[in-house]
Amino acid sequence: MKYLTIYLYIVTICCCLVSNLKGQTRTLSLSDCIRMAVANNPTLLRSELNIDRADLQYKQARYDRLPQVSGGLAHELSQGRSIDPTTNQYVDRYNSYGNQYLNANVPIFNGFAILHNIRRRANAKEAGKLEFEGARNELKLDVIEAYLKVLTAQDMLTQIEGQIAVTKEQLHRHEVLDREGAVAPGDLYDIKGQYNSDLNLLEQTKQSLNDAKLTLATFLNINIAELPALEKLETEQASTAYSADDLFRSSLTVLPEYRALDWRMKEMEQNIKLMKSEYYPSLSFGAGLGSNYSKDGGEAFNQMKNNLRKSLSLSLTIPIFNRFATRTNVRMAQVDFNEAVLNKSIRENELRMSTAKAVFDLRTAQTHVQNLKEQEQSYQEAFRIANVHFEAGNSNSVIYLTAKNKLDNTRSQLVIKQYEWLLQKYINDYYAGALNL
């Protein structure tokens, strides 16, 4: 009874703890989302398999230095005229016999093909690691962009809900005045039209928010219903000013996918040497054991021991003519190397363009945000004045709604541009190798 009471007490405490945990609102930070994406994104996990593939190929290239050993046995039943393997005589009757063998072959020289293949696979392995790291960093950028789009849509939704509240209050006021005959009918219908326009904009923003959440949930490999609330980000973070040239040179050294290009070129260089090794003779050493037995030869084990044969061999293969296959393979390898060189040049040229654009876009976004803040202050005062005149009956709905829409549009653009500036800051930090998330 005592133990039962303790057990029930423990169960009660656990239930309370679970209930409290369920009642807590769970939120995800940007760092949390990035960690979840890196751990769960199937596209990234699939690309990680390339590392395993490259590692296995490298190990196999090293294993190729080992001897090849093979063995086998066979047993045959025959009826009619045949040769007895133990006596090497013809027999014309039912017979059964068998043989066993064990062979080993060791490569001595093959034009250094094994060595070049090991180096080629080692370079490919290093390139694969860097390419995977680059894919992981690109996924981080994708998550950051998706995260910011969700926050943008949420802030826009809040902004529009505030607009609707103001319009709804004004609509209610004009409906009361209309019943008293104290307002022009055109002003009432203008306010009604604006209210419906705001409602349509609200639905569009809800759709944008759902699309943004769906994109983020896809990167995290979860259902959109499982995506909790996101933590807010400070939109006025400190940023480092980079020059386009400095950012380009820095990104060449810090971004792993561009360092991987050098390893791919080294891989292609070793591939050329590997293909050229087919021009050289190959020499190998072999050894073997074998035996046989037959039905009439006595005990099988004694026969195998007595019929044991041993062999040692040296095999030299000299390439003479193979329809220019080796020459074609060498030239194809050279083409692959030239392609790797051009790929590096193309990627660096694209990076130069991307870094220059990132620096310019960051500066432009900063300027837009500053201008929009000043514009918001001006339009806020203009709307205040228009609202006072409109409620006093000294103005009309056209002037009032024009001032209101200017302020609403400016505030919406400010929300969008602030997050665009934040995204550009993260992009610049990414190219500079300073994205610590």
Side-chain angles (χ1 to χ4, degrees):
M1 189 67 181
K2 175 182 178 182
Y3 293 105
L4 179 61
T5 302
I6 295 175
Y7 173 79
L8 293 175
Y9 178 74
I10 294 174
V11 169
T12 303
I13 293 177
C14 292
C15 291
C16 291
L17 289 175
V18 171
S19 178
N20 290 335
L21 288 174
K22 288 183 178 179
Q24 295 177 356
T25 303
R26 177 170 171 257
T27 60
L28 281 180
S29 66
L30 178 56
S31 298
D32 293 334
C33 289
I34 289 175
R35 283 193 292 269
M36 288 179 62
V38 170
N40 302 325
N41 186 267
T43 303
L44 183 66
L45 296 177
R46 183 183 63 182
S47 65
E48 190 175 11
L49 297 177
N50 293 331
I51 298 180
D52 298 334
R53 186 177 293 109
D55 182 61
L56 291 172
Q57 290 172 340
Y58 170 66
K59 289 179 178 178
Q60 184 57 54
R62 298 185 64 186
Y63 294 153
D64 288 342
R65 298 175 298 179
L66 300 175
Q68 287 186 335
V69 180
S70 62
L73 55 88
H75 188 81
E76 184 175 342
L77 302 176
S78 68
Q79 178 68 44
R81 187 174 177 83
S82 63
I83 297 177
D84 190 320
T86 57
T87 63
N88 207 28
Q89 299 294 323
Y90 280 102
V91 293
D92 189 3
R93 54 182 170 75
Y94 167 78
N95 194 16
S96 65
Y97 45 84
N99 62 77
Q100 309 82 33
Y101 68 91
L102 182 65
N103 295 328
N105 185 275
V106 182
I108 298 177
F109 178 77
N110 58 358
F112 303 106
I114 294 177
L115 177 62
H116 295 319
N117 192 40
I118 290 174
R119 291 175 178 176
R120 180 179 68 133
R121 295 302 184 185
N123 293 332
K125 179 181 176 181
E126 292 300 321
K129 289 180 180 178
L130 293 172
E131 288 167 351
F132 171 73
E133 189 177 346
R136 183 171 55 191
N137 290 339
E138 289 180 1
L139 177 62
K140 290 180 180 181
L141 270 186
D142 291 337
V143 172
I144 290 172
E145 183 178 3
Y147 191 97
L148 293 179
K149 283 184 177 180
V150 173
L151 295 185
T152 301
Q154 287 177 346
D155 287 359
M156 285 294 296
L157 189 63
T158 303
Q159 170 75 19
I160 293 170
E161 288 173 346
Q163 295 175 201
I164 291 176
V166 173
T167 305
K168 186 176 182 180
E169 181 181 355
Q170 196 64 255
L171 176 61
H172 176 70
R173 175 177 175 274
H174 276 70
E175 287 175 340
V176 173
L177 293 176
D178 181 66
R179 287 193 295 269
E180 298 174 356
V183 67
D187 290 346
L188 173 62
Y189 290 115
D190 271 348
I191 299 297
K192 280 186 176 181
Q194 182 63 47
Y195 180 67
N196 290 328
S197 176
D198 288 347
L199 290 178
N200 289 334
L201 186 58
L202 178 66
E203 295 305 315
Q204 293 175 6
T205 306
K206 287 181 179 179
Q207 183 178 7
S208 298
L209 177 58
N210 182 76
D211 292 343
K213 286 184 175 181
L214 183 61
T215 300
L216 180 59
T218 302
F219 285 130
L220 305 185
N221 196 25
I222 60 175
N223 294 326
I224 188 173
E226 299 174 0
L227 184 67
L230 305 181
E231 291 185 5
K232 292 288 186 179
L233 291 176
E234 178 59 47
T235 56
E236 296 184 0
Q237 300 180 17
S239 62
T240 304
Y242 304 101
S243 69
D245 187 62
D246 289 341
L247 192 61
F248 169 67
R249 297 185 182 280
S250 174
S251 59
L252 282 177
T253 58
V254 301
L255 293 183
E257 59 266 37
Y258 292 94
R259 288 186 281 130
L261 296 174
D262 292 326
W263 288 102
R264 288 300 179 191
M265 290 173 57
K266 293 178 181 179
E267 178 190 0
M268 295 301 103
E269 286 178 336
Q270 292 298 325
N271 191 46
I272 294 174
K273 295 178 180 179
L274 177 61
M275 295 299 103
K276 286 183 177 180
S277 66
E278 297 179 7
Y279 285 128
Y280 296 92
S282 61
L283 179 66
S284 62
F285 171 77
L289 292 174
S291 184
N292 54 33
Y293 64 91
S294 67
K295 184 184 71 170
D296 297 331
E299 186 180 358
F301 180 77
N302 291 330
Q303 289 186 70
M304 288 187 288
K305 183 173 65 173
N306 295 331
N307 296 335
L308 184 65
R309 62 182 180 275
K310 305 175 184 178
S311 64
L312 297 175
S313 65
L314 280 175
S315 177
L316 177 65
T317 302
I318 302 175
I320 298 176
F321 180 73
N322 63 351
R323 294 171 293 183
F324 302 108
T326 300
R327 187 180 70 169
T328 301
N329 291 336
V330 171
R331 291 182 177 180
M332 288 292 293
Q334 184 65 51
V335 171
D336 291 340
F337 174 76
N338 294 338
E339 184 181 17
V341 173
L342 291 175
N343 283 339
K344 181 182 179 182
S345 180
I346 292 171
R347 293 288 300 277
E348 288 180 353
N349 193 36
E350 292 174 347
L351 179 63
R352 184 182 292 106
M353 180 186 67
S354 299
T355 50
K357 185 178 184 300
V359 170
F360 183 83
D361 288 350
L362 178 60
R363 293 173 181 171
T364 302
Q366 288 174 327
T367 304
H368 278 166
V369 169
Q370 185 61 37
N371 291 338
L372 285 169
K373 286 181 178 179
E374 296 176 2
Q375 185 176 331
E376 181 191 21
Q377 294 176 357
S378 300
Y379 281 156
Q380 187 171 0
E381 181 61 19
F383 174 69
R384 186 189 67 80
I385 295 172
N387 187 53
V388 171
H389 286 291
F390 185 53
E391 291 185 351
N394 298 327
S395 181
N396 56 46
S397 60
V398 175
I399 297 175
Y400 168 79
L401 291 178
T402 299
K404 179 180 182 298
N405 288 335
K406 285 182 177 180
L407 178 59
D408 291 341
N409 291 335
T410 299
R411 285 175 171 172
S412 298
Q413 287 299 313
L414 181 58
V415 169
I416 294 172
K417 288 299 179 181
Q418 281 179 328
Y419 282 112
E420 284 185 3
W421 171 84
L422 190 56
L423 176 61
Q424 293 302 324
K425 171 193 174 299
Y426 284 129
I427 291 175
N428 276 257
D429 291 342
Y430 163 76
Y431 284 127
L435 187 61
N436 299 319
L437 290 173

